[in-house]
């Protein structure tokens, strides 16, 4: 991509044109998404928030598909945060059922495509029915070698780091590890994401400019792409626009060009 192309230009382009611009050799290995704006999407239409979440689950299907087609290694999506328990019980129940429905409906197709389902978060605090369907999807897809669909459920970055620190402190306490041996890799290895590459690209929809306790450690050097598009309106073209923008950035990781 010799000449820079700005966002206004990319949104004029259709999927085929965007695919022509994208350099397949320079795709992010790991894309993380904060799927925001379901509620506002519904509100704008005078519909209950649950309809927004349902439409959000449809958007997710399309985005999983394009990530799989592009051979992205990992897609992490923020499905339910440790703070989302503050929502009305009815909405929480709806979201839990939606996760169950999504996985039950999609797991066959995901397996056919070679997608491996993984999850991060404090799963043991989720309703048993949700835990069961996650365990079943993880098990059914465990040998797949395509895209890793990483579902962040009851996930919070601060809690994840706290748990990692606690596990490391326990290892030091019983003498398995010396405090002086604790380094960046030790912490990385104790996170839910151990073994996965850090996200290269974080996308947040719905015009919010926050990280919201998502992957606090792992996002240290991620490129961030914000859009005003509400998650239920987020389509393959939007992801491709984000990739075009990502490929025009110079990643220096604190060094020089
Ligand atoms: C944020 O929008 C979205 C969520 C808290 C839930 C995301 C869930 C989905 C996209 C459903 C499918 C997910 C899975 C894992 C199957 P919001 O409700 O905060 O929107 P608002 O800011 O407009 O109110």
């Amino acid at each position: 991509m010799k000449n820079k192309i700005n966002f206004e230009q990319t949104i004029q382009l259709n999927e085929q044109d965007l695919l022509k611009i994208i350099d397949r050799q320079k795709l992010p290995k790991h894309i993380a998404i904060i799927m925001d704006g379901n509620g506002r999407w519904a509100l704008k239409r005078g519909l209950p928030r649950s309809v927004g979440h349902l439409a959000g689950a449809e958007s997710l299907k399309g985005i999983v598909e394009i990530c799989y087609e592009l051979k992205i290694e990992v897609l992490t999506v923020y499905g339910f945060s440790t703070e989302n328990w503050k929502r009305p019980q009815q909405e929480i129940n709806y979201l839990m059922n939606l996760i169950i429905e999504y996985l039950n409906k999609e797991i066959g197709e995901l397996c056919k495509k070679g997608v491996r389902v993984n999850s991060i978060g404090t799963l043991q605090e989720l309703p048993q029915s949700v835990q069961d369907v996650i365990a079943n999807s993880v098990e059914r897809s465990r040998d797949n070698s395509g895209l890793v669909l990483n579902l962040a459920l009851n996930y919070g970055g601060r809690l994840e780091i706290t748990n990692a620190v606690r596990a490391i402190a326990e290892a030091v306490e019983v003498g398995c590890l010396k405090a002086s041996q604790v380094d960046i890799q030790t912490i990385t290895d104790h996170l839910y994401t151990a073994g996965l590459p850090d996200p290269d690209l974080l996308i947040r929809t719905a015009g919010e400019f926050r990280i919201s306790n998502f992957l606090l450690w792992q996002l240290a050097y991620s490129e961030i792409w914000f859009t005003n598009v509400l998650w239920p309106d987020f389509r393959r073209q939007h992801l491709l626009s984000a990739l075009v923008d990502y490929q025009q950035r110079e990643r220096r990781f604190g060094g020089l060009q």
Side-chain angles (χ1 to χ4, degrees):
M1 207 183 303
K2 286 192 189 107
N3 301 317
K4 283 211 171 188
I5 169 164
N6 63 35
F7 181 66
E8 280 66 36
Q9 288 169 310
T10 62
I11 53 172
Q12 316 282 343
L13 299 175
N14 63 30
E15 188 177 325
Q16 294 316 314
D17 291 336
L18 286 162
L19 280 168
K20 278 183 212 148
I21 302 173
I22 285 168
D23 181 348
R24 302 293 178 115
Q25 308 304 317
K26 286 189 187 156
L27 288 169
K29 280 188 180 174
H30 184 169
I31 300 175
I33 308 185
I34 301 178
M35 309 179 288
D36 198 9
N38 295 349
R40 274 164 282 173
W41 183 92
L43 216 70
K44 265 174 50 180
R45 290 162 174 76
L47 297 167
R49 292 176 57 81
S50 55
V51 182
H53 293 311
L54 185 62
E58 281 303 313
S59 282
L60 179 59
K61 284 186 202 168
I63 297 311
V64 169
E65 218 165 78
I66 182 92
C67 286
Y68 153 80
E69 286 167 21
L70 290 172
K71 299 192 167 47
I72 301 294
E73 284 180 28
V74 187
L75 171 67
T76 300
V77 290
Y78 210 178
F80 193 86
S81 78
T82 45
E83 286 69 38
N84 286 152
W85 298 109
K86 294 176 197 156
R87 296 190 176 205
Q89 192 57 44
Q90 201 187 0
E91 182 168 345
I92 294 172
N93 293 345
Y94 187 85
L95 281 168
M96 293 300 143
N97 285 325
L98 188 57
I99 294 163
I100 295 177
E101 242 179 65
Y102 174 85
L103 285 173
N104 278 340
K105 268 197 197 150
E106 291 301 304
I107 190 64
E109 196 55 37
L110 292 170
C111 280
K112 262 194 221 157
K113 288 179 173 152
V115 175
R116 179 162 72 84
V117 176
N118 189 57
S119 65
I120 56 171
T122 314
L123 300 187
Q124 61 272 26
E125 286 173 6
L126 292 169
Q128 192 57 49
S129 51
V130 180
Q131 292 184 45
D132 291 347
V133 77
I134 295 169
N136 178 269
S137 305
V138 169
E139 178 56 29
R140 275 183 68 180
S141 64
R142 62 182 291 174
D143 295 327
N144 294 344
S145 55
L147 173 74
V148 175
L149 172 58
N150 195 27
L151 303 173
L153 300 170
N154 194 23
Y155 173 88
R158 286 182 170 179
L159 185 60
E160 177 183 38
I161 295 170
T162 305
N163 288 339
V165 170
R166 192 175 293 152
I168 294 166
E170 279 167 9
V172 172
E173 213 169 52
V174 298
C176 294
L177 191 69
K178 285 184 185 160
S180 60
Q181 290 173 319
V182 176
D183 59 12
I184 290 175
Q185 195 59 45
T186 317
I187 296 179
T188 302
D189 291 344
H190 282 81
L191 299 175
Y192 299 125
T193 49
L196 297 176
D198 285 340
D200 302 291
L201 173 65
L202 170 72
I203 295 174
R204 182 168 189 152
T205 59
E208 306 290 353
F209 300 93
R210 289 188 288 274
I211 299 296
S212 299
N213 204 14
F214 192 39
L215 301 173
L216 296 180
W217 178 272
Q218 299 88 336
L219 292 174
Y221 279 102
S222 308
E223 295 298 325
I224 306 186
W225 192 80
F226 295 108
T227 174
N228 287 329
V229 174
L230 303 175
W231 177 250
D233 290 327
F234 196 85
R235 295 288 172 268
R236 295 161 63 99
Q237 284 90 330
H238 298 113
L239 186 100
L240 293 171
S241 290
L243 291 177
V244 169
D245 193 355
Y246 166 83
Q247 293 193 333
Q248 296 182 120
R249 303 209 190 159
E250 189 195 321
R251 300 187 76 193
R252 291 193 298 271
F253 299 93
L256 300 177
Q257 190 179 4

